[in-house]
Amino acid sequence: MTDQMQKIVLASRPDGAPTPDNFRLEEAAVPTPGAGEVLVRVHYMSLDPYMRGRMDDAKSYAAPVPVGGTMEGGGVGEIIASNADGYAVGEFVMGGLGWATHAVVPAKGLAKIDPKTAPITYALGVLGMPGLTGWFGLTEYGRPKEGETLVVAAATGPVGSMVGQVAKSMGLRVVGIAGGAEKCKLATDHFGFDACLDHRAYDDASALRAALKEVCPKGIDIYFENVGGKVLEAVLPMMNQFGRIPVCGMIAWYNAGGLGADASEGGLTGPKLWRTILVNFLSVNGFIISNHWDRMPDFHKAVAPMIQSGDIKVQEDITEGLENAPQAFIDLLNGGNTGKAMVKLI
Amino acid sequence: MTDQMQKIVLASRPDGAPTPDNFRLEEAAVPTPGAGEVLVRVHYMSLDPYMRGRMDDAKSYAAPVPVGGTMEGGGVGEIIASNADGYAVGEFVMGGLGWATHAVVPAKGLAKIDPKTAPITYALGVLGMPGLTGWFGLTEYGRPKEGETLVVAAATGPVGSMVGQVAKSMGLRVVGIAGGAEKCKLATDHFGFDACLDHRAYDDASALRAALKEVCPKGIDIYFENVGGKVLEAVLPMMNQFGRIPVCGMIAWYNAGGLGADASEGGLTGPKLWRTILVNFLSVNGFIISNHWDRMPDFHKAVAPMIQSGDIKVQEDITEGLENAPQAFIDLLNGGNTGKAMVKLI
């Protein structure tokens, strides 16, 4: 056990898209666990779009990371010192370990994972927060019915691919949207989507909508919202009556600052959005998965066997080394990852 | 029985707010009921904000009234000729009778009403479509819980007053918004709201919000949306986490034409609206009551006894004469009515 650890701190708040100088790699002494705490050596840390929100100081569902503070995030690792009953050295755990090689955290905030039943990385993706987000949002707020049409963007990401594959297993027509021809091929060939459109191939929302009409001849019943922006604008007029929109993210607007007039590209005004909800009797539900951790056992019960059987495919995008985390995160926000983004630390 | 009837037709589509010359009073021969039809002498016709939408040819949940066609709307009246089994001359009915002194309609589209149990006007307001809209939207999508705070605009209208009074009976704090000090007094003194704000007393959404903060110290859990515009903009940042917004109208924007950039006053952009839904885990449900007529018996069962006992108060605004219907409707869109607007024809 070394005495020194490394961590990435928020050096400054981004103005729009984050740049490498918003982050700083620091060394620190490895802390000692207090009562009820454990020291974890982090093996993999997760990169997720929500982390962009934590870099701003706007009011949101979670407090911002303070400037100079360690970037927050989930990770998996091994307990290397324990001061908590029932948590032994050598056990693997998942939890909020931050962008760091080591973390001292309260043991009760951690979930134990068994490296024998599945690769430990699954706890950050397909069997973790993003997977639960997709499964819960789809089944709870999407209310999918056989024969309906679902659209999801970021189709090859860990949320979108879960949404699409579960919907497919329930007999829906599933159309993905992704950035680039390769990802689209992955969505259809690997994840089994019925169709996938490359949003980069369409100049604006109207062009994307025209293409969507080809692959969604019966309109759209469920739009699983994780991107906002051009995709939302394209999809909105295509929503069928009684359509459902679970909203778990809006990555296209995460860099939009105050979300003022500038962010309202293409005339997606509040009144237009509101009118569509009204005249099509839409059900729109915002949610953040941390309010629904209690559904994790249900999720595992439903989905783990489908992973085992190969009905749900896994795709991970692993960067090596903590020092490369900031760039990997910047890439993620630009759609540069293919599959669940994470950083291998050991 | 006279051979002539009168009706109001749509003379031209309005450009923004309707004007008297968008309507025309016409005479016609009283038609004869065909098989399964009845001829109804209309006693009262209803005026409702949704009728504004029928005057445009934009895509909506109902087909527009054609230019030259009779204005659509609900009414109550007496059967004066019948060609339908089970529907006798002298019976009173409610249904889509249009802006007209007489109507021939299929009997199966009508609901019989009993003038002995309640004034027949109630079938157009407190026990009819607007009342059901308020009760259903509140209980189904608002999911009210004791101790929560609810805000509703058009507080003295037939929808808003139903929402507020039912919520009050369930132990919520109820705050109304209305146009003018007199209506606010009516909301608190007659309908029993905890507070009511005169939106005309506040120049913009920020000023209205500041006033709302005084009367909603614990934020807003349910915003029953029937107006849009400045009120929505004021309310949105005050929504508590897990708040609910049933959306049944947006009267402030009905005259806004294409709902483009012009209608996005005060920076209520699509992204801003979307972000609030996301970060506060809001549940937003658009609905139109005609999809939920099946709940009418439940509604009557719940609410009719409360009207009988005086726990739910009634307020009607009756204009005399079909020829005055257009101006009364124009006034309604400007908030000129106090209570359920209707026109007495006989």
Side-chain angles (χ1 to χ4, degrees), chain B residues 18 233 300:
Chain B
E233 204 186 324
H300 279 181

Side-chain angles (χ1 to χ4, degrees), chain A residues 59 61 225 242 247-248 253 259-260 263 268-271 273-275 277-278 281-286 288 291, chain B residues 59 61 225 232 242 247-248 253 259-260 263 268-271 273-275 277-278 281-286 288 291:
Chain A
K59 187 192 171 219
Y61 39 73
E225 170 66 299
F242 303 102
V247 182
C248 75
W253 286 323
L259 295 176
L268 185 59
T269 64
L273 196 49
W274 216 233
R275 183 176 192 278
I277 292 172
L278 172 59
F281 329 129
L282 301 184
S283 172
V284 181
N285 283 276
I288 180 77
N291 289 318
Chain B
K59 187 192 170 218
Y61 39 72
E225 170 67 300
L232 172 60
F242 302 104
V247 182
C248 75
W253 287 322
L259 294 177
L268 184 61
T269 64
L273 196 49
W274 217 233
R275 183 176 191 278
I277 292 172
L278 172 58
F281 331 129
L282 301 185
S283 172
V284 181
N285 283 275
I288 180 77
N291 290 317

Side-chain angles (χ1 to χ4, degrees), chain B residues 100 163 228 323:
Chain B
V163 168
E323 68 280 10

Side-chain angles (χ1 to χ4, degrees), chain B residues 29-337:
Chain B
V30 170
T32 307
E37 294 181 334
V38 293
L39 171 62
V40 181
R41 178 66 173 98
V42 185
H43 285 227
Y44 291 89
M45 55 164 272
S46 184
L47 292 175
D48 301 280
Y50 77 84
M51 295 167 173
R52 174 64 187 83
R54 305 290 168 87
M55 299 178 77
D56 290 332
D57 57 4
K59 187 192 170 218
S60 188
Y61 39 72
V65 174
V67 172
T70 303
M71 285 291 295
E72 289 170 14
V76 289
E78 186 181 357
I79 297 175
I80 58 172
S82 175
N83 199 355
D85 285 346
Y87 291 79
V89 168
E91 287 188 303
F92 277 80
V93 290
M94 189 272 287
L97 305 175
W99 294 26
T101 57
H102 297 70
V104 160
V105 283
K108 67 176 162 50
L110 298 171
K112 291 189 185 182
I113 55 178
D114 181 354
K116 288 190 217 86
T117 59
I120 61 172
T121 54
Y122 283 19
L124 298 180
V126 72
L127 282 175
M129 184 275 284
L132 178 62
T133 300
W135 175 83
F136 171 79
L138 173 67
T139 55
E140 181 80 9
Y141 300 121
R143 303 191 293 276
K145 289 189 256 318
E146 195 177 343
E148 290 189 331
T149 298
L150 172 140
V151 169
V152 61
T156 61
V159 177
S161 61
M162 178 63 67
V163 168
Q165 292 180 98
V166 173
K168 197 66 207 148
S169 78
M170 297 172 84
L172 281 80
R173 177 169 178 81
V174 172
V175 173
I177 295 172
E182 269 184 51
K183 284 189 183 174
C184 283
K185 197 169 151 50
L186 189 69
T188 52
D189 296 1
H190 183 59
F191 291 124
F193 283 48
D194 293 293
C196 187
L197 299 179
D198 173 8
H199 65 80
R200 293 178 185 167
Y202 306 96
D203 281 345
D204 56 21
S206 307
L208 178 57
R209 189 180 310 132
L212 271 171
K213 282 185 178 165
E214 302 272 316
V215 290
C216 303
K218 293 196 242 168
I220 299 168
D221 301 291
I222 305 174
Y223 171 51
F224 190 99
E225 170 67 300
N226 50 10
V227 296
K230 183 169 75 173
V231 177
L232 172 60
E233 204 186 324
V235 159
L236 205 60
M238 291 183 62
M239 290 301 297
N240 289 332
Q241 291 191 341
F242 302 104
R244 287 83 65 196
I245 308 184
V247 182
C248 75
M250 37 186 283
I251 191 170
W253 287 322
Y254 283 177
N255 287 332
L259 294 177
D262 292 358
S264 182
E265 334 129 36
L268 184 61
T269 64
K272 204 179 265 189
L273 196 49
W274 217 233
R275 183 176 191 278
T276 306
I277 292 172
L278 172 58
V279 303
N280 286 334
F281 331 129
L282 301 185
S283 172
V284 181
N285 283 275
F287 72 100
I288 180 77
I289 202 60
S290 53
N291 290 317
H292 307 283
W293 290 134
D294 61 316
R295 300 297 303 279
M296 192 64 98
D298 295 337
F299 165 59
H300 279 181
K301 202 171 153 190
V303 166
M306 296 172 76
I307 297 174
Q308 202 101 32
S309 69
D311 288 335
I312 286 189
K313 306 280 198 274
V314 182
Q315 182 80 23
E316 297 176 334
D317 188 325
I318 298 175
T319 298
E320 304 239 348
L322 182 66
E323 68 280 10
N324 296 316
Q327 189 58 50
F329 179 61
I330 290 167
D331 291 346
L332 167 72
L333 292 178
N334 292 318
N337 61 310

